[in-house]
Amino acid sequence: MRQPRWHSLALACVLALLAACAAQTLHRDGLAAIEENNLEAGLQKLEQAARADPGNMTYRLDLQTRREAVVHRLLVEADTARNSLKLDDAKQLYRRVLAIDPGSSRATLGLQAVEADARYAQTIAAARKDFTAMDFDAADSKVRKVLNEDPGYGPAKELSDAITVARGPVTVAPHLKTKDNRRVTLQLRDAPTKMVFEVLSRQTGINFILDKDVKSDGKTTIFVQDVPVEEAIDLVLDQNALARQILASNMVLIYPNNPTKQKEYEEQIVRTFYLTNAAPKDVEGMLKTVLGTKTLFIDERAGLVVMRDTPDAVRMAEKLVASLDVPEGEVMLELEVLEISSSKLQDLGVNYPGEVTFGVTPQGSAVGGARGLVLADLHKQSTDTITVSSLSATLMAMKQTGVANTLASPRIRARNNEKAKVLIGSRVPVITNSVTPTAAGPPVVTGTVQYLDVGLSLEVQPVIHLDSDVAIKLGFEVSSIIKQITTSSGTIAYQIGTRDANTVLRLKDGETQILAGLIQDQDTHNTTSIPGLGDIPIIGKLFGEHHTDVEKDEIVLSITPRIIRMQPRASSENTEFWYGTELRTRTAPYASAERGDSRSTMAIPAGPSGGAPVDLSAQAMSGSAGVVSQSAGGVSYASANAMVPPPIAAPVTAPPASIGTAAAAAPAAAAADAAGRAAVSIEGPSSVHVGDDFQVSVNLDSDQPITRLRSQLRFDATALQLVSATPGSVVPAAAGTPSVDARAGGAQLEIVASPDDPVRGSGALMVLRFKALKAHPLVAVSAMLSAIGGNGAATASSSAAPLNITIQPKE
C-alpha cells in the first residue's frame, strides 16, 4: 500500500515543478513582450503566470504594476491624440484601455469626449462657413455653443479669436436690416411719433408693431443725416421714453420703457457658468454689484453660478466672469539657511584649592562606647590629632577652537497670496498639571500637553505682481533649548533662546536676496587666583587660573523666487466693454456701426437710389413742397401740421430744391476737401518662440495733415506680454513726447499736434516690444486709428489688417 502513495507524491512533485517552470517562462516572456511594445500580449502572459503559480507574490505584483503602467501609457497617448484632433486614433487607444481595465472611468470619459469632439468639429466647420460668408453673428453663436460645453476646445477658441478681431465690438442683440442696406436722414420738428414710425416703415421696409399703451400725442424733434436706421430708431425711442424689441431682421416691437412693460416684453435667458478658478461667491458679488443682476444661484460644491437676465446682461456677464476666472499664479521659493557657529575656549594657569578644612579629634572614650568632642579635648590636640582636608593643585593648559556650519535648503511652492510654512527641528512637549480640589476625596490632577516648535521655523506669503515681481511677507525664527526647568510640583518647562526676523521683500523673478546679521556673540573671561599673589604683574599668572570662552553664532538666509505660473491678464474685450446707461443697457455705442467707415456725413444725400441714404424730410413725408419752412441756419424743418400720411409710392429719388440744398452744399464741399487718405498697418514677425522678445511696428500712411490722432492696439494678453511701447518716427517733435497708455490687452497713443506742424507722411506711429508667454497656433494683433485734420474735420478712421503670429514651443 505504501508504493502507490509514494508514486502519487512523486508525480505531484513533478507536476508542481513543471508548473513552476511554465509559470516562470510565461512571466519572463510577458515582461519581454511589454518591453517590445506588445502590451496586451505581455499582460496576458503575466496573467497566465500568476494563475499558474498563485502563491508567487512576485508574479502578482509584476502583473499589477505592469497593468497600471500600460493603462497610464495608453491613456497619455490617447489624450495626446485627442488634443491633436486625431479622433480615430484616440478612440482606438481608449478602447484598448477598456479592454485591459473595463472599469477605467478615465477611458470611458475619454470616449465620450471623443464623440463630443466629433460633434464639435461639425459645428465648427459650419461656423467657419458662416465666418467665410462674413456672417459673424451666426458663426459666434455656433462657437459659443461649443465653448459653453468645452471651454478648452482649441479650434473653437481660435475661431472665436478670429471672429473678435474681424468684427470688433460685439452687439449681442439681433440687427435690423433695411432694403438695400439704406441709411436714413431725419429732419423733423414736433412730428407725431407714430407718424415717424409709419414713414420709416414705408421707406425702409421695416415693420413696426406698437404697443397699445404707446401715447398717440407724442412729439419727436430730430435732425440726423446719413445714419443707420437702427440708431435713428433708438434716438426716437430715447426722446419718447420708449423701448424696442427686435422680433426679426425686419420687424420690431415698440413699447413704453417702464418696469411693467419691461417685465412683459423684455426677453431673458438663463446661463450657467462653470468656474475653474474663481469662487462662486466672488462671482455672485461681482455680478450683483456691476450688472445689478437679481436672479442668481450658486453651488459651491459644483463650482457653478446660474444667472437669469437679458441677453445683453448675460453677454456682459460672460466677459466679467472670463476676466475673473483666471488661474492664480504660483511661485517656487528657493531658500538656503546657513548657520555659522564658531567657538574658542582657553584655560591657562594653576587651579589652586580655594579652601582648607581643619578638624580636631576627640581624646579618650566614655564608658560603654565612643564619645563626642568635648571642650577639654582642645588642649590635648597636636599635629597627630588635628585633621586637614586634602590639598591639590591642577595645572591648566588647554585651548579649543571649533567651527560648525548648519545648512538647510528647503524649496517651497506656494500659491499667490497663500501662506506656506516650513519647520526644521522638533516639537518639544510641555506638560502642565492642574489640580482641582474635591470635597469628598483627594484632589483631581488633570494634565495637558502643549508642543513648542524648536528649531528653524520659516513662514512665507508671496504676492505675485503682473510685472513679474514677487512681494514676499517673510517670518523667520531660529530657536533652541537653553536649559530645562523642573518646578516643585514636578512640571517640566524649558527656557527657549530665539532669534527672529519679520520683513516684506519685493524681488524680481529669479532675483536672490540675502538676509544676514542675526548674530549672537558671547565673550566670557573668568579669573581665579590667590589673593595678593595673583595680583603681582607677570608672575601673578602662576598663582591663578584664567578661563576665556568666546562664542559667535550667525544665521544667513538666502531667498530666490521663481514664478512657476503667472496669473494671465484678461483680454481687453473682457476688461473693457460698452455698458450703456443706467436705464438702458447697450453692448455698443451709437457710433459702433460707423467704425472703419471714412465716408463724410456732413452733406445731405441725393436720395435712396443705388443704396444711398433714405431722405425722410418733410417733403418726402407729406408729398408736398409747400409745407417746408426755412430756418435761419439754412436747415429745413417740417411743421407738425404738415405731417400728413403720404400714400405708398415709389421712393423719392431726389429732394426738392426747397430743402436747403444750397445751404448744405458748402459743408459738403468742405468735408470733401478735408477727406484724405490715412491708413494704418502693422508690421511684425509671423512666427516666434515662447520666451522670445520681438518688435511690432504700427505704421501710418497719410497724405493729409493731422492735428489730432488716436491709435489703439489690441492683442491677447494671455499669450503676449507688452514689454515697452514708444512713439514712432512719424510723430513730430513739436508734439512733445506723447505717452503710450499701455493697459491689459492693449495700448493707446493719443497725439495733439500744432496746425503748423501736423502729423503727416509715412512712417512708424508706435513701436512696441512683446514677449511670447505660451505656445499658441494663432495670436492676432489688431490696430485702429481715428484722425482729425487741420481744419477740424474728420480725416479718416482706419483699421489695420490683423498681424497673425504663431507662437511655437520653446526650443
Side-chain angles (χ1 to χ4, degrees):
M1 296 298 293
R2 291 183 179 179
Q3 187 174 1
R5 183 177 300 172
W6 281 106
H7 288 172
S8 300
L9 182 59
L11 180 61
C13 291
V14 171
L15 293 177
L17 182 60
L18 292 176
C21 293
Q24 184 178 5
T25 302
L26 289 172
H27 178 261
R28 182 178 62 251
D29 294 344
L31 293 178
I34 292 177
E35 292 295 331
E36 295 173 359
N37 206 26
N38 297 325
L39 305 181
E40 287 83 352
L43 289 176
Q44 185 177 5
K45 290 182 179 181
L46 290 179
E47 189 174 354
Q48 292 174 358
R51 285 201 303 264
D53 190 0
N56 193 319
M57 295 300 298
T58 302
Y59 295 169
R60 295 169 61 184
L61 182 61
D62 284 346
L63 173 61
Q64 182 178 358
T65 55
R66 293 301 192 280
R67 179 187 287 126
E68 292 178 355
V70 168
V71 167
H72 177 72
R73 175 181 173 182
L74 292 177
L75 285 174
V76 171
E77 293 179 359
D79 293 341
T80 303
R82 178 181 169 236
N83 294 333
S84 302
L85 300 181
K86 299 177 180 178
L87 302 183
D88 294 337
D89 295 344
K91 186 182 297 184
Q92 183 180 1
L93 290 169
Y94 284 129
R95 287 175 178 171
R96 289 176 63 184
V97 172
L98 291 176
I100 298 172
D101 183 9
S104 176
S105 59
R106 184 175 169 185
T108 303
L109 294 176
L111 277 177
Q112 296 175 0
V114 168
E115 296 175 357
D117 287 347
R119 298 197 315 270
Y120 298 157
Q122 295 177 358
T123 304
I124 295 302
R128 291 188 185 279
K129 292 181 179 179
D130 295 334
F131 179 77
T132 304
M134 300 187 67
D135 190 355
F136 300 134
D137 291 339
D140 184 62
S141 177
K142 294 180 177 65
V143 170
R144 190 182 297 116
K145 181 180 179 181
V146 173
L147 291 178
N148 287 342
E149 296 184 20
D150 186 2
Y153 189 63
K157 295 171 64 176
E158 294 175 8
L159 185 56
S160 177
D161 294 340
I163 293 172
T164 301
V165 173
R167 76 174 179 181
V170 181
T171 303
V172 297
H175 294 283
L176 291 173
K177 296 182 180 179
T178 62
K179 295 182 296 185
D180 301 327
N181 294 325
R182 296 174 179 176
R183 303 159 73 86
V184 299
T185 294
L186 291 175
Q187 299 190 23
L188 305 171
R189 173 181 289 173
D190 295 335
T193 303
K194 289 185 177 181
M195 187 66 62
V196 176
F197 290 126
E198 182 177 352
V199 174
L200 280 171
S201 176
R202 292 185 178 184
Q203 296 295 333
T204 63
I206 296 177
N207 301 305
F208 293 90
I209 302 174
L210 276 63
D211 182 83
K212 60 185 175 88
D213 293 332
V214 174
K215 296 180 180 180
S216 58
D217 57 349
K219 301 293 183 180
T220 299
T221 300
I222 183 172
F223 307 101
V224 294
Q225 302 180 24
D226 194 18
V227 297
V229 64
E230 194 167 345
E231 295 186 4
I233 294 174
D234 288 341
L235 292 172
V236 174
L237 297 178
D238 291 343
Q239 290 190 46
N240 295 274
L242 300 174
R244 64 176 171 88
Q245 178 182 347
I246 298 178
L247 306 178
S249 60
N250 64 341
M251 185 179 301
V252 60
L253 171 67
I254 307 298
Y255 59 89
N257 190 10
N258 55 59
T260 303
K261 291 297 180 179
Q262 288 177 357
K263 291 182 179 180
E264 183 178 351
Y265 289 115
E266 197 171 57
E267 293 184 348
Q268 297 185 346
I269 60 176
V270 177
R271 175 75 160 86
T272 301
F273 298 97
Y274 289 92
L275 306 176
T276 305
N277 304 285
K281 288 186 178 179
D282 296 339
V283 175
E284 179 189 24
M286 178 183 64
L287 296 180
K288 286 183 176 180
T289 303
V290 179
L291 299 181
T293 304
K294 298 180 180 179
T295 308
L296 284 170
F297 170 78
I298 66 171
D299 188 343
E300 294 283 354
R301 177 188 59 83
L304 60 85
V305 176
V306 183
M307 70 173 296
R308 189 191 72 194
D309 214 320
T310 62
D312 283 342
V314 169
R315 298 297 171 258
M316 294 179 185
E318 290 177 352
K319 297 178 182 294
L320 291 174
V321 172
S323 65
L324 183 64
D325 190 24
V326 294
E328 291 192 35
E330 287 186 272
V331 62
M332 178 73 74
L333 298 176
E334 299 178 357
L335 305 169
E336 289 188 359
V337 182
L338 181 64
E339 184 175 4
I340 305 173
S341 302
S342 62
S343 62
K344 294 181 180 180
L345 178 64
Q346 179 176 287
D347 284 327
L348 294 176
V350 180
N351 186 7
Y352 294 96
E355 61 182 12
V356 177
T357 304
F358 295 92
V360 294
T361 305
Q363 301 296 317
S365 60
V367 178
R371 65 179 179 84
L373 182 68
V374 297
L375 185 62
D377 294 334
L378 295 179
H379 69 281
K380 300 178 181 180
Q381 301 296 321
S382 64
T383 56
D384 295 329
T385 60
I386 298 176
T387 62
V388 181
S389 62
S390 61
L391 297 174
S392 64
T394 304
L395 178 63
M396 308 294 294
M398 182 188 69
K399 183 176 182 181
Q400 181 177 350
T401 302
V403 177
N405 294 335
T406 304
L407 180 65
S409 300
R411 291 191 175 188
I412 311 174
R413 181 167 178 171
R415 291 177 59 186
N416 184 33
N417 211 18
E418 295 288 343
K419 290 184 179 180
K421 185 176 181 180
V422 173
L423 173 63
I424 303 175
S426 59
R427 305 193 71 190
V428 180
V430 177
I431 302 175
T432 305
N433 295 327
S434 60
V435 180
T436 304
T438 59
V444 178
V445 179
T446 304
T448 59
V449 180
Q450 295 179 344
Y451 290 90
L452 297 177
D453 295 336
V454 178
L456 171 64
S457 178
L458 185 65
E459 186 175 282
V460 292
Q461 182 177 357
V463 178
I464 305 173
H465 296 277
L466 294 180
D467 58 355
S468 299
D469 282 6
V470 181
I472 306 172
K473 187 177 182 181
L474 179 66
F476 177 65
E477 180 180 358
V478 177
S479 57
S480 60
I481 299 176
I482 296 179
K483 66 179 179 179
Q484 179 177 315
I485 302 173
T486 304
T487 62
S488 59
S489 61
T491 302
I492 298 176
Y494 300 94
Q495 181 179 352
I496 306 296
T498 180
R499 282 167 289 170
D500 59 62
N502 294 277
T503 184
V504 178
L505 307 173
R506 179 158 180 167
L507 305 175
K508 293 186 177 296
D509 182 19
E511 181 182 357
T512 301
Q513 178 64 48
I514 297 177
L515 302 178
L518 295 175
I519 301 175
Q520 182 178 1
D521 197 350
Q522 183 176 356
D523 193 349
T524 305
H525 297 274
N526 295 324
T527 301
T528 304
S529 62
I530 299 175
L533 296 178
D535 299 332
I536 299 175
I538 303 175
I539 64 173
K541 294 183 178 294
L542 300 176
F543 299 98
E545 176 191 0
H546 301 273
H547 175 84
T548 303
D549 187 1
V550 178
E551 294 183 358
K552 185 175 182 180
D553 185 53
E554 181 179 5
I555 296 177
V556 178
L557 170 66
S558 170
I559 182 169
T560 304
R562 301 192 185 277
I563 297 176
I564 303 298
R565 179 187 296 116
M566 173 70 75
Q567 179 175 336
R569 295 173 182 261
S571 64
S572 59
E573 294 292 333
N574 296 332
T575 57
E576 182 179 353
F577 52 87
W578 196 262
Y579 176 77
T581 65
E582 289 287 339
L583 299 179
R584 184 174 180 183
T585 302
R586 294 175 57 90
T587 55
Y590 282 115
S592 62
E594 301 293 328
R595 216 184 78 183
D597 189 355
S598 60
R599 291 180 297 174
S600 173
T601 58
M602 298 298 294
I604 299 178
S609 60
V614 178
D615 184 8
L616 296 182
S617 61
Q619 179 70 19
M621 296 176 64
S622 64
S624 170
V627 297
V628 180
S629 61
Q630 186 75 19
S631 70
V635 182
S636 301
Y637 304 105
S639 64
N641 297 330
M643 299 299 297
V644 181
I648 299 177
V652 179
T653 59
S658 59
I659 306 184
T661 306
D673 293 338
R677 177 173 55 84
V680 62
S681 61
I682 309 178
E683 292 183 359
S686 60
S687 177
V688 296
H689 291 85
V690 174
D692 288 351
D693 285 345
F694 59 95
Q695 179 174 300
V696 172
S697 176
V698 179
N699 300 325
L700 174 68
D701 184 10
S702 174
D703 57 1
Q704 296 293 322
I706 298 174
T707 57
R708 187 163 186 174
L709 179 145
R710 176 181 295 174
S711 179
Q712 294 180 336
L713 192 82
R714 293 187 178 181
F715 56 89
D716 185 359
T718 61
L720 297 176
Q721 178 184 355
L722 180 61
V723 178
S724 64
T726 57
S729 59
V730 77
V731 179
T737 306
S739 62
V740 177
D741 182 16
R743 61 187 68 183
Q748 177 175 296
L749 171 65
E750 186 169 354
I751 300 172
V752 179
S754 171
D756 298 331
D757 189 11
V759 178
R760 72 168 69 206
S762 301
L765 188 63
M766 281 194 294
V767 179
L768 308 105
R769 295 201 63 82
F770 288 94
K771 180 180 181 181
L773 299 179
K774 66 177 182 179
H776 200 286
L778 183 65
V779 177
V781 181
S782 60
M784 297 179 293
L785 179 140
S786 300
I788 298 177
N791 56 1
T795 299
S797 295
S798 176
S799 296
L803 172 63
N804 296 321
I805 304 174
T806 300
I807 303 179
Q808 300 179 2
K810 190 173 183 180
E811 294 182 340

